[in-house]
Amino acid sequence: MPAKPAPSAGARVGATPRVRPTKLTPIKAYLFAYNVVSCLAWAHIFYLTLSSVLSPRPHAAPSFLSSLFGSSSPTGTSSSLVSAAVDRLRGAYVHKHLGWWIKYTQSAAVLEVVHAALGWVRSPLGTTGAQVFSRLYAVWGVVEPVPETHNHPLFTTMLFAWSVTEVIRYAFYAMSLLGIDVYALNWLRYTTFLPLYPLGAGSEAFLAFSTLPPLSTLPFVPRALADFHPLAWAVARLPPGFYAALRHSALVPDKLLWHAARQGARRAPAARPWTALDLARLGLFFVWWPALYVLYTHMLRQRRKFFSTKTVGGVNKAR
């Protein structure tokens, strides 16, 4: 008999979820409860973040991030509509105790390192530890010690990326533990990270960078580096034609990029001396990008595996 043709991806999207027989051992029952509680907690954080963005934000003057681009706007006078949109990204930390929720919900992720170390899940211990450490560093090493970050737009974009990613991830793991294969959830798991990983990691890195004193106050920094503006440097090195296309894009106009860069927390006092913690943050800022590359390419491989085999390729399922 000829083999039956495989169902198309389009048919799978609307198909009834597949249920694979699985035995719910005590460890799997615990992991299922952990994933469900974590999913609900991150869903609440997403709700609070969205609620904060939709709530009226008090107006504040532009500050630190403007220094990342330089002293003059590439587009001249900017629209008040874009300014108001970026302004709404401020103040999320104090909105309905959102700061408390993110501190302890993210801290609970330490259990994922324990799960990997005990062999209860298939996640590589090194990858899991790196992901959890980067988040804990952002929360306890940047946001908590520096109150100015509480009002920073990048804090809000960081929470948005984190919360959407985690709701999908924990729901994916919970369904996998039950042996339920939901194609739509799997598709979200292996697609939404494409924009959310760079958004979350970029927000973490530049939020940490925003807490540093001016580079020009470091005695051993060359003049060229003292005047270094990271975002301006990155934009200037975009492929030919890409920046021009970005400027004329209806979705991401040049004005929006400029305003998003200018609006931020108050700049750290110029007279503040550098500390050992500041130097560590500066070092981690440059380590951030190769680390993001490793994690991002890992997820790209998982995505290719999923779409090539049409099977669930989750790396954190319980054994």
Side-chain angles (χ1 to χ4, degrees), residues 243-269:
Y243 181 60
L246 201 62
R247 288 185 60 185
H248 297 94
S249 169
L251 297 177
V252 190
D254 184 60
K255 263 184 199 178
L256 179 59
L257 294 178
W258 173 247
H259 276 278
R262 287 184 62 87
Q263 301 294 325
R266 291 176 298 174
R267 184 174 182 174

Side-chain angles (χ1 to χ4, degrees), residues 195-260:
L196 292 179
Y197 265 39
L199 175 63
S203 297
E204 294 172 40
F206 282 109
L207 185 64
F209 192 88
S210 73
T211 67
L212 302 178
L215 293 179
S216 58
T217 60
L218 280 173
F220 53 83
V221 172
R223 181 174 183 82
L225 185 58
D227 297 329
F228 174 61
H229 304 299
L231 292 181
W233 181 89
V235 169
R237 283 155 181 79
L238 288 173
F242 184 84
Y243 181 60
L246 201 62
R247 288 185 60 185
H248 297 94
S249 169
L251 297 177
V252 190
D254 184 60
K255 263 184 199 178
L256 179 59
L257 294 178
W258 173 247
H259 276 278

Side-chain angles (χ1 to χ4, degrees), residues 121-207:
V121 296
R122 295 177 182 173
S123 295
L125 181 59
T127 302
T128 303
Q131 290 176 320
V132 172
F133 168 76
S134 70
R135 296 278 192 90
L136 292 178
Y137 163 72
V139 172
W140 294 103
V142 177
V143 175
E144 288 306 305
V146 186
E148 288 82 3
T149 61
H150 299 179
N151 197 44
H152 205 297
L154 288 178
F155 176 74
T156 305
T157 57
M158 181 179 73
L159 292 194
F160 175 78
W162 286 5
S163 59
V164 174
T165 298
E166 297 298 58
V167 167
I168 295 170
R169 186 170 70 94
Y170 284 118
F172 171 83
Y173 294 155
M175 293 296 99
S176 297
L177 287 162
L178 295 179
I180 300 175
D181 180 2
V182 183
Y183 184 84
L185 183 60
N186 300 340
W187 185 89
L188 289 172
R189 164 70 175 149
Y190 292 110
T191 302
T192 55
F193 81 90
L194 293 170
L196 292 179
Y197 265 39
L199 175 63
S203 297
E204 294 172 40
F206 282 109
L207 185 64

Side-chain angles (χ1 to χ4, degrees), residues 26-83:
I27 291 179
K28 283 189 176 182
Y30 158 74
L31 291 173
F32 175 75
Y34 169 80
N35 286 315
V36 169
V37 171
S38 298
C39 181
L40 293 175
W42 281 104
H44 184 62
I45 290 174
F46 172 72
Y47 162 74
L48 293 180
T49 304
L50 193 61
S51 172
S52 172
V53 171
L54 297 178
S55 300
R57 300 287 80 187
H59 179 71
S63 63
F64 175 78
L65 283 184
S66 60
S67 68
L68 297 178
F69 268 113
S71 58
S72 61
S73 166
T75 58
T77 304
S78 308
S79 72
S80 60
L81 180 62
V82 175
S83 297

